[in-house]
Every structure is written in structure tokens, then in C-alpha cells.
């Protein structure tokens, strides 16, 4: 048996006859501004979208916020990782938290820090952590770690040990616990926090529905193990997308006139919809570009600094079509669709509002973090 056969992902995603159920058990440690105060807060209720105003889950640890201590490991290909990169950039945390980017393809073991363009996804190490596989950083802390090696993950640089991979909570903590290191003019992605205005109370069911029915809904379609499971997932997904299409007909962003955490969470699914989910995951009632308001909204965000400039369409397609051997055993990556239409005018300004509210857009992407030329219509070949 070859190494490729030994570590194949076949059977890792699709279970015959069953509905796909995401494992949402993560390392729930948190990096917080005041560990002692956080430990004194009540434990959070069960949640798949994170929580605000609570302390630690049972068994979790609190780590102190400290610039330069941690590295965010976030693959361009992964939607959950992509949203941590967007929030980090919007808030201006680049100096405080460094960024490591695994390649787009992995086997059943782990994401790897591969050289761009290498056929077998091998040949490099992370320049800061010195590891070739993210698995090594998980095993440094938990030698018998029993779950999947997921991104995003935050790793302590000095020890090389994973701190957390609790992606729903990571972006919330970037907004709340890392405020000392936010750039001047950073947007308020959690409007109304601590004011009692009710804005967050309105946002919470929106992001919950986006996660269960859209972010995870496309996977429920793609990894369905039976026709019945697929058709049920398909119906749920399109009911939610139709709800979003109606919601966005009268408001520029999900919560009104400025971008919020909710928009970040939806955006990374929308960018992957036509290139991947429509065909690969069989979510093919229609394409995103055929939905007037969702498509205009997606383009509006894509053309906003922090969103499109963190999107790597080449790596996105390569990840899904090569890694998911259950669904695409040939590993052939489709040539289309054309992507230049992401830069077409969106006309969403007519709905009013400003993406950053009273804040300002982030500065230009740092050279070392730019998406490769040709991987994104903002960066032509």
C-alpha cells in the first residue's frame, strides 16, 4: 500500500445512508484580556456559534492576550479559517497575531505547510512554527488528540502547542478580548455590545440560522449518505437562501447599514457557492449569480477591503475537488466558472449605509499576505 493509499480521505466524509453531522467538539480554551476575570464568569451555554459575556467551558483554560505570542494557522481554502483572516484584517491585528497558511490539499492526517503549486502538497515547513504538518502542533499539546486536525487553529509560538481551534469563538474574541491591539478606525463587528440596545440580540438568531442552514447546510448536502438525506438537506438550504434573498432586498448588509460579524460568516460560503458548492456539493437549484440581491450583496462585500482581498479561488477549488475523494475520486478540478464578474458594479449603495460605519477601511494587504496573482480577479495574473 502506498502512502497516498494509506492516508486517503476516502470514507472520511460520507457515511452511507446517513445525514452528515458536523463534529462541533473543539478545543475550547480562550485567549482573553483578563484570564482571572474570565474564569470567574459563568460557563457558556451550549452553542455552535460562540458566546459573549460568559466564561470558560468545563475543562477549558484561559490564556492571556499578548502581542506576538500566538500564530493564527488558517488555510485560504477553508471557509471557517477564511473568516478569522477577514476579522483579523478588518480589526488590524496583523502585528499582534501572525498568520500561517497551510496549503489547500491535505490527506486524512492533517493540513500541511506546503510549497505553493507542489503536486503532492508537501515540501515546506511553517517559517515560524517550524512544523510541516499542523498535526504536529496538535500532538505537541495533546499526544493522543482523537479528533480531526482542523483550521483555523491558534498556536503558541514559543511552545508550538495548539491553544484553540474553536472557530466560532475565535472571531468573537478578536473583537472583544483583543481591543487593545485594534487599529484606529476598526469597525464594530458586534454592534450594541454592552449597551443593551438589542442589536446583538437581533443578530444572534441570524448568525445561528446562517450557520445551521447555510454554512453547514452546503456540507449537509455534499456529504449526504443517501438520496433522502440529500433531498432534506437541499430543501433546508434553499429555504434559508430564499430567506436571505428577501432580507437583503431592503438592507445593504444583514443587520442594516454597516458590516458585522454576521456578514463575515455568510460571505465565505457565498464566495465558494458557484465555484464549488453548486456542482461539487449538488446545491444546484440555481447559481448565486442568478439571485439578484444575494449576488449584489456578495459583490459588494467582495469589493470591500478585507473580504475579496483574502479570497483565493484557486486554492478553494483545489481543496474541495482534490481532498474530497469520496465525492470526486478523479481529483479533477473544474476550469470554470469565470470570476471577473465579482468586480461588476453591485449598485448596493442605493440602500444607504457605509460598510465601516464611523470607522475606516483597513490599509492595503501586506505583501507577504497577498493572494497569489491569478488566484483572484482583484489580483490578475
Amino acid at each position: 500500500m502506498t502512502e497516498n493509499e494509506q492516508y486517503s480521505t476516502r470514507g472520511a466524509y460520507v457515511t452511507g445512508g446517513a445525514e452528515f453531522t458536523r463534529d462541533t467538539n473543539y478545543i475550547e480554551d480562550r485567549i482573553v484580556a483578563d484570564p482571572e476575570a474570565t474564569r470567574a464568569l459563568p460557563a457558556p451555554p451550549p452553542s455552535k456559534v460562540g458566546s459573549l459575556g460568559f466564561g470558560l467551558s468545563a475543562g477549558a483554560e484561559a490564556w492571556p492576550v499578548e502581542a506576538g505570542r500566538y500564530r493564527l494557522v488558517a488555510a485560504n481554502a477553508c471557509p471557517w479559517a477564511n473568516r478569522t483572516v477577514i476579522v483579523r484584517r478588518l480589526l488590524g491585528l496583523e502585528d499582534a497575531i501572525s498568520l500561517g497558511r497551510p496549503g489547500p490539499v491535505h490527506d486524512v492526517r492533517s493540513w500541511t505547510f506546503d510549497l505553493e503549486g507542489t503536486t503532492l502538497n508537501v515540501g515546506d515547513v511553517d517559517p515560524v512554527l517550524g512544523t510541516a504538518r499542523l498535526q504536529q502542533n496538535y500532538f505537541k499539546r495533546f499526544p493522543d488528540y482523537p479528533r480531526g486536525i482542523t483550521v483555523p487553529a491558534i498556536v503558541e509560538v514559543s511552545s508550538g502547542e495548539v491553544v484553540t481551534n474553536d472557530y466560532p469563538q475565535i472571531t468573537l474574541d478578536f473583537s472583544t478580548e483583543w481591543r487593545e491591539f485594534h487599529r484606529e478606525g476598526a469597525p464594530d463587528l458586534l454592534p450594541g455590545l454592552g449597551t443593551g440596545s438589542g442589536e446583538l440580540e437581533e443578530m444572534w438568531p441570524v448568525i445561528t440560522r446562517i450557520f445551521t442552514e447555510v454554512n453547514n447546510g452546503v456540507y449537509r448536502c455534499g456529504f449526504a449518505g443517501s438520496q433522502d438525506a440529500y433531498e432534506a438537506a437541499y430543501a433546508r438550504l434553499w429555504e434559508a437562501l430564499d430567506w436571505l434573498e428577501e432580507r437583503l432586498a431592503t438592507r445593504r448588509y444583514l443587520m442594516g447599514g454597516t458590516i458585522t460579524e454576521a456578514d463575515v460568516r455568510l460571505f465565505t460560503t457565498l464566495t465558494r457557492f458557484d465555484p464549488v458548492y453548486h456542482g461539487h456539493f449538488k446545491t444546484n437549484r440555481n447559481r448565486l449569480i442568478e439571485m439578484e440581491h444575494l449576488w449584489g450583496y456578495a459583490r459588494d462585500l467582495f469589493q470591500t477591503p478585507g473580504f475579496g482581498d483574502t479570497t483565493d479561488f484557486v486554492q478553494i477549488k483545489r481543496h474541495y475537488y482534490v481532498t474530497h475523494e469520496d465525492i470526486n475520486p478523479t481529483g479533477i478540478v473544474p476550469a470554470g466558472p469565470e470570476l471577473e464578474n465579482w468586480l461588476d458594479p453591485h449598485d448596493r449603495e442605493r440602500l444607504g449605509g457605509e460598510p465601516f460605519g464611523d470607522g475606516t477601511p483597513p490599509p492595503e494587504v501586506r505583501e507577504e499576505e497577498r493572494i497569489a496573482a491569478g488566484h483572484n480577479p482583484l489580483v490578475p495574473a
Side-chain angles (χ1 to χ4, degrees), residues 331-355:
I332 294 172
V333 180
E338 296 297 322
L339 300 168
E340 286 74 14
N341 54 4
W342 281 94
L343 301 183
D344 289 348
H346 52 74
D347 192 34
R348 298 285 292 177
E349 298 94 337
R350 61 184 167 78
L351 296 171
E354 292 288 339

Side-chain angles (χ1 to χ4, degrees), residues 80-376:
W80 321 104
N82 191 180
R83 74 194 203 188
T84 63
V85 175
I86 292 171
V87 172
R88 171 182 174 270
R89 173 153 159 66
L90 292 176
L91 299 178
L93 293 173
E94 291 95 333
D95 285 335
I97 307 167
S98 66
L99 178 63
R101 281 177 158 158
V105 180
H106 62 80
D107 60 23
V108 76
R109 290 171 290 183
S110 163
W111 297 84
T112 59
F113 297 102
D114 64 313
L115 292 168
E116 178 66 33
T118 53
T119 304
L120 297 178
N121 199 51
V122 294
D124 206 359
V125 296
D126 182 87
V128 172
L129 301 175
T131 47
R133 288 183 174 275
L134 181 57
Q135 185 182 57
Q136 295 170 261
N137 303 106
Y138 276 72
F139 286 174
K140 278 189 176 183
R141 184 167 178 212
F142 304 108
D144 300 316
Y145 188 72
R147 317 196 85 87
I149 307 299
T150 63
V151 291
I154 296 182
V155 176
E156 184 183 40
V157 173
S158 61
S159 67
E161 296 181 356
V162 66
V163 174
T164 181
N165 63 347
D166 189 4
Y167 70 88
Q169 191 64 38
I170 288 173
T171 52
L172 300 178
D173 286 343
F174 279 177
S175 280
T176 55
E177 303 295 335
W178 288 83
R179 284 181 174 172
E180 176 187 354
F181 299 102
H182 288 187
R183 65 178 177 86
E184 185 177 355
D188 181 6
L189 300 178
L190 300 172
L193 180 63
T195 68
S197 66
E199 291 175 273
L200 275 181
E201 285 75 10
E202 182 189 354
M203 186 171 74
W204 223 249
V206 172
I207 65 172
T208 299
R209 189 171 183 183
I210 287 170
F211 169 74
T212 59
E213 306 305 300
V214 181
N215 300 148
N216 197 44
V218 291
Y219 286 86
R220 195 181 295 112
C221 290
F223 294 157
S226 70
Q227 188 70 34
D228 287 346
Y230 162 72
E231 290 181 5
Y234 181 93
R236 287 177 61 179
L237 171 66
W238 283 106
E239 181 181 0
L241 288 173
D242 287 339
W243 162 70
L244 288 167
E245 175 75 355
E246 181 178 355
R247 184 180 183 90
L248 290 166
T250 56
R251 60 183 81 198
R252 185 169 179 183
Y253 303 108
L254 283 169
M255 305 311 302
T258 61
I259 56 173
T260 65
E261 173 83 16
D263 299 297
V264 176
R265 295 190 180 205
L266 178 57
F267 174 77
T268 58
T269 296
L270 297 183
T271 52
R272 288 156 177 79
F273 198 88
D274 286 3
V276 175
Y277 302 146
H278 179 270
H280 185 60
F281 279 176
K282 307 178 186 68
T283 63
N284 60 352
R285 190 192 75 179
N286 53 261
R287 295 173 295 166
L288 177 66
I289 64 171
E290 296 165 341
M291 303 187 76
E292 177 186 357
H293 305 300
L294 267 172
W295 174 226
Y297 163 83
R299 297 200 311 281
D300 189 1
L301 288 177
F302 185 85
Q303 295 167 32
T304 299
F307 289 84
D309 54 28
T310 66
T311 303
D312 189 321
F313 287 109
V314 170
Q315 290 202 12
I316 286 168
K317 292 202 302 181
R318 188 157 183 254
H319 166 68
Y320 284 92
Y321 286 105
V322 176
T323 302
H324 297 160
E325 297 177 59
D326 286 339
I327 302 173
N328 188 39
T330 66
I332 294 172
V333 180
E338 296 297 322
L339 300 168
E340 286 74 14
N341 54 4
W342 281 94
L343 301 183
D344 289 348
H346 52 74
D347 192 34
R348 298 285 292 177
E349 298 94 337
R350 61 184 167 78
L351 296 171
E354 292 288 339
F356 298 99
D358 295 330
T360 58
E364 190 173 333
V365 181
R366 299 180 179 198
E367 184 175 358
E368 67 273 14
E369 295 187 4
R370 291 176 187 167
I371 300 302
H375 288 207
N376 179 319

Side-chain angles (χ1 to χ4, degrees), residues 20-37:
F20 168 71
T21 302
R22 181 173 299 280
D23 181 356
T24 54
N25 292 298
Y26 298 102
I27 301 166
E28 296 183 351
D29 287 13
R30 293 177 57 197
I31 302 170
V32 295
D34 188 337
E36 185 175 348

